[in-house]
């Protein structure tokens, strides 16, 4: 009976010990992925910002510029790309909509981002665009990969439509979470004008005035290293309309402001990330380490049972292997004769 | 010999479980009916 129990314990010990690395290194990379149907809206605000008035081409101070950024997973398109490439992909159709204090549109930039659901690396399957202009990304955008590393990544910039390094600047604590802080600076660069501008103005009309759009930003992200999701983001963003061929003429500030995620959206994002990181930690840390400990304990129990089984006498066999029992002291001496 | 068989059974069960779970994967879902927003929602 003990023998059988020790064999069962041994089988369970091997099961747990083998399951631990299999979960971490085989199952997790295949199970952890961004869901194709993910939908998310984030509101960002720039308080006391500078914004161009396109009617007068003069900058003015405004109380708030609001940006609404929506990400919408296009499941049908993701299935099509998977059928064509064999890769598990996510297709995000996004819209970055900026509005002035009166709610009137400042700019409206749609985008399509196609990326690997597991690694978050861009997938070039056609259809990628920014403001209806085809682009080819070579960096991440919006989200870091699962289990973020303490290193620089390449991050796609919507305005310049190019990727550039985003630098790891250390670990910070943000609302009770240990997060990695990343920063990217885009130097002054000439960028395309958005296709949709206020007052029905077209990019061609702005160009005909002899103006071109320049932009610089310092982009900051606080990223949860487990899920790769940013829990906070800020940008110190400046845009100017410069006079083509006339560097001596004063540029017109189109926008200048410190853009931050609205606090209620930060709180909501932190709560969501805290819930999701538990699941990732379960697969990458808690279950593997728990299973190893359980495997070792089961193996020890199996060995103890086996050792006891070997020491215990088999039923019907004398404890000393069958030698005649030694008589108690005294008895033998009397039986061998001597005094009656 | 019986110990080897027990160990092999444990290993095979672990492999089978992991392969089954990864083969099942996660449910797909459908594209959200929610629109791409052009005004800020009152709350998340």
């Amino acid at each position: 009976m003990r023998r059988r129990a020790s064999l069962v314990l041994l089988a369970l010990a091997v099961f747990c010990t083998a399951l631990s690395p299999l979960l971490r290194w085989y199952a997790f990379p295949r199970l952890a992925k961004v869901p194709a149907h993910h939908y998310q809206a984030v509101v960002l605000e720039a308080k006391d910002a500078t914004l161009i008035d396109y009617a007068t081409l003069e900058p003015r101070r405004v109380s708030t510029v609001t940006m609404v950024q929506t990400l919408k997973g296009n499941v049908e398109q993701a299935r099509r790309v998977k059928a064509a490439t064999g890769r598990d992909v996510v297709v995000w159709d996004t819209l970055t909509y900026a509005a002035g204090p009166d709610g009137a549109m400042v700019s409206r930039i749609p985008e399509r981002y196609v990326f690997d659901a597991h690694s978050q690396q861009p997938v070039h399957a056609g259809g990628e665009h920014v403001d209806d202009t085809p682009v080819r990304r070579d960096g991440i955008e919006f989200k870091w990969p699962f289990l973020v590393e303490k290193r620089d990544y390449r991050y796609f910039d919507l305005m310049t439509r190019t990727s550039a390094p985003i630098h790891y600047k250390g670990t910070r604590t943000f609302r009770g979470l240990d997060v990695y802080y990343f920063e990217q600076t885009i130097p002054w660069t000439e960028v395309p004008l958005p296709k949709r501008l206020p007052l029905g103005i077209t990019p061609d009309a702005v160009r005909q005035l002899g103006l071109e759009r320049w932009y610089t930003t310092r982009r900051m992200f606080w990223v949860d290293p487990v899920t790769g999701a940013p829990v906070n983001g800020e940008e110190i963003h400046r845009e100017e309309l410069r006079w083509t061929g006339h560097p001596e003429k004063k540029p017109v500030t189109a926008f200048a402001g410190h853009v931050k995620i609205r606090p209620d959206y930060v709180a909501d994002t932190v709560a969501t990330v805290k819930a999701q990181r538990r699941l990732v930690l379960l697969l990458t840390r808690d279950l593997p380490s728990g299973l190893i400990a359980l495997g070792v304990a089961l193996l020890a129990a199996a060995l103890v049972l086996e050792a006891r089984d070997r020491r215990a006498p088999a039923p019907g066999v004398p404890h000393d292997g069958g030698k005649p029992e030694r008589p108690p002291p005294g008895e033998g001496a009397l039986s061998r004769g001597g005094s009656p | 010999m019986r110990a080897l068989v027990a160990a092999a059974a444990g290993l095979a069960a672990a492999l089978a479980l992991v392969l089954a779970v990864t083969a099942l994967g996660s449910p797909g879902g459908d594209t959200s009916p929610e629109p791409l927003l052009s005004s800020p929602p009152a709350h998340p």
Side-chain angles (χ1 to χ4, degrees):
Chain A
M1 187 62 196
R2 273 186 190 162
R3 189 105 211 227
R4 183 170 294 172
S6 74
L7 288 172
V8 171
L9 286 177
L10 176 66
L12 286 172
V14 173
F15 173 79
C16 292
T17 312
L19 196 56
S20 168
L22 282 170
L23 269 183
R24 172 65 186 84
W25 304 110
Y26 183 84
F28 173 73
R30 287 160 178 80
L31 291 174
K33 62 176 186 178
V34 177
H37 62 286
H38 182 70
Y39 177 90
Q40 179 184 311
V42 177
V43 177
L44 305 102
E45 289 177 333
K47 300 277 187 194
D48 301 320
T50 303
L51 188 64
I52 189 171
D53 181 345
Y54 277 97
T56 60
L57 277 185
E58 286 291 326
R60 61 189 172 105
R61 297 288 288 184
V62 295
S63 58
T64 312
V65 173
T66 307
M67 268 152 260
V68 189
Q69 193 174 61
T70 321
L71 313 175
K72 181 169 168 171
N74 187 329
V75 178
E76 293 74 28
Q77 189 60 28
R79 284 191 190 124
R80 268 181 230 122
V81 175
K82 185 174 184 176
T85 63
R87 292 178 70 176
D88 220 351
V89 300
V90 175
V91 177
W92 272 351
D93 288 329
T94 81
L95 179 66
T96 305
Y97 188 96
D102 53 355
M105 190 260 281
V106 171
S107 70
R108 183 186 185 282
I109 303 179
E111 190 182 358
R112 174 168 283 182
Y113 175 32
V114 186
F115 62 96
D116 186 289
H118 302 280
S119 69
Q120 274 84 93
Q121 287 306 309
V123 173
H124 308 298
E128 280 180 280
H129 70 86
V130 172
D131 208 11
D132 301 327
T133 304
V135 294
R136 189 181 170 87
R137 291 175 172 79
D138 66 354
I140 54 173
E141 194 181 1
F142 302 112
K143 185 192 174 297
W144 269 249
F146 294 98
L147 307 179
V148 182
E149 295 170 31
K150 292 178 178 180
R151 64 171 175 87
D152 299 350
Y153 284 81
R154 286 186 71 75
Y155 193 88
F156 182 76
D157 180 68
L158 173 77
M159 296 290 185
T160 61
R161 299 168 193 184
T162 58
S163 300
I166 189 161
H167 302 288
Y168 169 75
K169 295 273 186 177
T171 303
R172 308 271 192 275
T173 301
F174 183 79
R175 300 204 179 193
L177 280 176
D178 287 333
V179 295
Y180 293 173
Y181 174 67
F182 289 89
E183 205 173 283
Q184 182 187 50
T185 300
I186 306 288
W188 280 107
T189 309
E190 187 183 353
V191 293
L193 284 148
K195 287 187 176 162
R196 295 157 194 89
L197 289 165
L199 310 173
I201 296 170
T202 62
D204 278 341
V206 176
R207 277 191 290 269
Q208 280 164 13
L209 287 171
L211 289 164
E212 55 195 27
R213 184 184 184 218
W214 286 69
Y215 144 92
T216 182
T217 199
R218 184 154 75 91
R219 178 172 287 133
M220 295 155 270
F221 280 113
W222 289 256
V223 179
D224 169 45
V226 177
T227 58
V231 290
N232 190 31
E234 291 182 16
E235 254 190 58
I236 299 168
H237 183 124
R238 292 195 67 192
E239 286 178 38
E240 286 179 356
L241 294 180
R242 296 185 180 177
W243 300 94
T244 308
H246 293 280
E248 76 284 358
K249 289 177 84 171
K250 191 184 172 194
V252 182
T253 300
F255 173 77
H258 191 156
V259 184
K260 298 177 180 179
I261 299 179
R262 209 169 74 185
D264 53 343
Y265 277 89
V266 172
D268 184 63
T269 307
V270 168
T272 306
V273 167
K274 278 184 176 171
Q276 288 171 345
R277 63 179 273 134
R278 267 185 228 121
L279 195 60
V280 176
L281 286 175
L282 188 73
L283 280 173
T284 56
R285 189 191 66 189
D286 300 344
L287 271 177
S289 55
L291 282 167
I292 283 282
L294 187 59
V296 170
L298 286 167
L299 181 65
L303 290 173
V304 167
L305 272 185
E306 180 66 18
R308 280 188 186 169
D309 184 59
R310 288 189 180 190
R311 271 207 304 269
V317 178
H319 75 286
D320 57 0
K323 285 182 185 172
E325 206 169 322
R326 195 176 172 184
E331 265 182 37
L334 287 173
S335 68
R336 263 188 230 114
S339 307
Chain B
M1 186 60 193
R2 280 194 289 180
L4 270 178
V5 171
L11 185 61
L15 277 169
L17 178 66
V18 165
L19 289 174
V21 168
T22 50
L24 280 175
S26 49
D30 295 313
T31 302
S32 169
E34 298 288 320
L36 296 169
L37 302 177
S38 55
S39 60
H43 51 78

